Amino acid sequence: MAARDGALTGLHDPAPTADLLVQIFDPVGRPRGTGFAADPEGTLVTSHEAVDGAARLLVRAGDAVTEVTGAAITPLPRLGLALLHTRGLGAPRPLPVAAPRAVGRGAYVRIAAGGWREARVLGTTTVTYTASDGPRLLDGALELALGTAGTDALRPGGGAAGGPVLDAETGAVLGVLGTTLHTAHRTAGFALPLTGADGPLAALLARNAATVPAYGADLNLAGAARLTAAASATRVPAARPERVPRAEVTRHLETFAAPGTHRPHGAAEATEWAAAEETKAAEGTEVGGAAVLALVGPPGSGRTTELAALAAHRAAGAEASPTLWLRGSDLLAADPSLSAAASRALARAAVPGGCGARTPVASGMPGTPCAEDLRPERLARVAREGGRPLLLLLDTPEEMPDASAERLPEWAAATAAWLRTTDARLILACRPEYWERLGAAFPRALLYGPGTPAGRSLPPCVALGDLSFDEARLVRARHGIPDTALAPADARHPLTLRLLAEVRAECPEPGGRPDRHEILSAHLDLVCLRVAARLTGPAHPRGTAVRRLAAHVAGQVHAAARRCLGPGQGALDEASFALLFSGGATARPGAGPGAPARAGIQVGGDWAPAVLAEGLFVRTGDSHRFAHEELGDWLQGMHLDVEAALDALVLRGASYSAASRTEWYGAARPADGSAGSPPVPPAPSVPPHRIGPVVEALLLLARDRGTAELTYQLGRLVDALEVLMPAEPPAADLRPSPGTPLWWALRLLAETLLRVPDATPYTAVLDRLARRILARYAQARPVPAELGPPLWEAVRLRAAERFDLLRRLVVTDPAPGAPGDPACPRFLDAAARLLTADPAAVQPQLTRWFEDDRPLPATPHATVATAAQALLYTHRHGALDHLTEALADSAHPRGEELLAVLAEEEPSAMRRAVERWERDERPARRAAAVRYAPRARAREAGRALPHRTSPALPAGAATR
């Protein structure tokens, strides 16, 4: 099935009667009746009279004949029906069964009796069916008005028994013909309904609805799934065979998309959800739990790949689930909610003529979708009744028009109301910066997610980042990339691995160990070379002339990146794209289409098809964007003026705020000595999700001009924070509004520090930042989540520098149960995780904390030194031998205390340490061996020793 020229193909392919019906015979070849397939497995439906009293039957479909005996025959005499389970028949095309509904008097139907005939429904009645074991009364039979030829065709023994009765408009089966049915007042044509059944027939009807599409008044689950698939056919990216499943993400996506109600995560969300449930229960309606899942991650993390894998999973097999794929560019500025975009997408699946245009009876083909079928509300209702909620997949909502983005709160509220009304579900994939704003506009009770990602002030979501170590190893193996071919900072990044695989396919033995910048550059060169080769055709090998043309293509790509920095918000409008790639005026003299002709190659003026065919750009709505968002950000960052960008986004606001505060304090300082916060003018209208090019520009500073230049710019951001952050302590944590100068300063600082391959050159920046945090803590001022423990845990530093910073900041940890978020990350917990991950490297660093006797306000009666002792004691089993050496190296009384405890509780480890120290040339080691040998050996021998108390363990500090 595919959409072509706005029409859905594959829905009503004409087929002869032989493809729809089977004939049933007794063993000697006498006709018993007719039947039809109701599922792809070849389960046939016929009348009971066609199988009554028969232990063995022959079934013919076209030229194929099979025998049906014993358990393969399921008689349903109380319904007047029977099921036949066939194998190896070459099952005929299944017919959809009509939805339970009243058939109006005078409605036209088609019957299979000696060929396809037209009849009219006179109404329903109770009929008598006389089987071999006696008569039965059957209710709800359709009474049919037939001509003389039709009446003759329904005579008993003529082979018409069991034939389907089709709705003339929808093509669905309304009933099964019977030739021995009669009433007391007269004899006419009758058909037995297929609704209201249970047992085997009910299971078959459910399978029919899930696997055999029906439309119009009989729209079923399979029809809804096919319509959404047709509407999404040209939008869903192809599933990548080399994709490695990401178990945790897949689990969340499939759990959310599965039938059933999902309670939101988190205490606040659960409370709001429960309150909404009570309100809806009082109103007599249902809530349905979480209805929105956000898959949040930076560009290149595989958001679209995961959505495409979910869409492929839901479309796989016979029983597909309704899934509609949308992009942010599908939305219009005037859309009140997501339902408007869904309606337009479904309209692409429309079939000319629609339902209501009666097709010839002789064709016997199923009906076609009509306008009513293409309403997302109806599809959602059918999907809900079928037990598989309609799932909307919204990729890159950042592409939403600017006017729509300004109406996000209203749009989100209307979308939430529509989701609740229809019981549909929405999975969207976007950048963290966009979800911070969009997620806040949705009711939190509607959001699904395991929690807020650490270090982010984000609504609940499913975070997506780098691959795990095992996943990355498997990806590299599938692409044939050696484990040592990448720097550790890039070795788990999905897009980097994929692009490197493409480059290595062209250059199997690349030299060196390329980093992310070099891989992106090589990929751009490769794609431009492919565009040039496509433009010149097969007559020109990849020689000097083609490479010159590739250089011209690359020049136009860079020109496109510069234009994307303008008001297009990362996209090229039609005019700009035509100017650069479709033979219009060139961006600069000597560049653009036609320019390479001087190289001796005659190339047509239109480059656009080649550029699009090689996947460099993709069309989104009425504009064009870079196919890889990360590549687009990187290219745009090359052409961004960092100084001007920081001045506009951050430092202008900081300067204004500082000047205003000086004037504020001098004019009217509050009596209590607190400082007010004058209003700061808003930053230019740069959407927060356009942070990517700015971060890339900062990262390129270090590469192009050296680390000193980036250190200077990061220092400016740190200094701006002191001015931009409010002086008065708010009631809760500090969460700046997206797009404000404070927001830009925090995000640019954190994102850049996290993405530099080595943060050691920027230790001075981190030191200054730590001093700012400690100063605000001393003044009881809040610190934004972006500067919390996750930043210091993840930044790429040597262990010595990292743990020196953590030691200084650990005193700012909140106490368990303190006001605010109870799950607020703590620096001591970060130290514990790092210790667990690499105990041999971390243990020596923690022994340096023994000199710090500052109290820990979060843990009464504990200091930084005792917290270090507790961490080392609690996590001692990770590397016991390394721990004993680290404690001995520390030569500190607290280390000796812990060694004494280990001599009692870990005598084997201490015995090994004593044996090493006895052979050591250092006097201190030999002295330690003499001191601890008797205790360790006695303890290992099982002799009782005086009890010694283990180091005090700060409550909850070292066990997470």
Side-chain angles (χ1 to χ4, degrees), residues 713-739:
Q713 297 297 346
L714 294 177
R716 297 174 71 203
L717 292 175
V718 173
D719 292 341
L721 288 179
E722 187 61 23
V723 180
L724 293 171
M725 287 192 289
E728 66 281 358
D733 59 349
L734 178 59
R735 298 191 180 189
S737 299

Side-chain angles (χ1 to χ4, degrees), residues 504-599:
R504 287 175 62 88
E506 295 289 329
C507 180
E509 298 298 333
R513 196 182 192 190
D515 60 15
R516 171 179 167 274
H517 174 90
E518 292 167 335
I519 292 170
L520 290 174
S521 181
H523 171 75
L524 177 63
D525 292 343
L526 175 61
V527 174
C528 291
L529 190 62
R530 287 174 176 171
V531 171
R534 186 180 289 268
L535 289 171
T536 58
H540 296 275
R542 291 185 179 182
T544 303
V546 176
R547 293 186 181 277
R548 288 177 181 172
L549 177 57
H552 282 286
V553 174
Q556 294 305 97
V557 172
H558 279 276
R562 286 193 294 271
R563 287 178 179 268
C564 288
L565 288 170
Q569 305 298 359
L572 287 174
D573 57 29
E574 289 284 3
S576 297
F577 192 76
L579 182 67
L580 292 169
F581 298 113
S582 296
T586 58
R588 54 186 170 82
R598 294 191 304 271

Side-chain angles (χ1 to χ4, degrees), residues 552-707:
H552 282 286
V553 174
Q556 294 305 97
V557 172
H558 279 276
R562 286 193 294 271
R563 287 178 179 268
C564 288
L565 288 170
Q569 305 298 359
L572 287 174
D573 57 29
E574 289 284 3
S576 297
F577 192 76
L579 182 67
L580 292 169
F581 298 113
S582 296
T586 58
R588 54 186 170 82
R598 294 191 304 271
I601 300 176
Q602 299 299 321
V603 181
D606 191 2
W607 292 10
V611 170
L612 293 174
E614 290 300 334
L616 190 54
F617 286 86
V618 293
R619 184 180 180 87
T620 58
D622 58 355
S623 61
H624 293 79
R625 294 178 180 268
F626 284 98
H628 297 307
E629 188 178 1
E630 183 176 13
L631 177 66
D633 287 349
W634 174 74
L635 280 167
Q636 294 168 58
M638 289 184 178
H639 304 284
L640 184 67
D641 186 333
V642 175
E643 192 92 14
L646 295 187
D647 286 342
L649 297 171
V650 178
L651 302 174
R652 178 183 61 88
S655 301
Y656 176 88
S657 183
S660 300
R661 283 184 182 172
T662 301
E663 180 180 351
W664 179 277
Y665 297 158
R669 188 176 181 85
D672 61 0
S674 64
S677 296
V680 178
S685 57
V686 178
H689 62 267
R690 292 287 291 144
I691 192 174
V694 189
V695 173
E696 293 288 353
L698 285 167
L699 295 173
L700 287 168
L701 273 183
R703 187 178 189 88
D704 297 339
R705 304 184 192 176
T707 58

Side-chain angles (χ1 to χ4, degrees), residues 943-954:
R943 295 195 297 271
L945 293 172
H947 176 71
R948 292 178 61 92
T949 304
S950 62
L953 181 64

Side-chain angles (χ1 to χ4, degrees), residues 447-477:
L447 303 181
Y448 175 97
T452 300
R456 291 282 195 172
S457 301
L458 295 180
C461 60
V462 174
L464 193 66
D466 282 351
L467 300 167
S468 69
F469 288 99
D470 291 338
E471 292 165 350
R473 188 180 300 111
L474 185 55
V475 170
R476 292 194 297 270

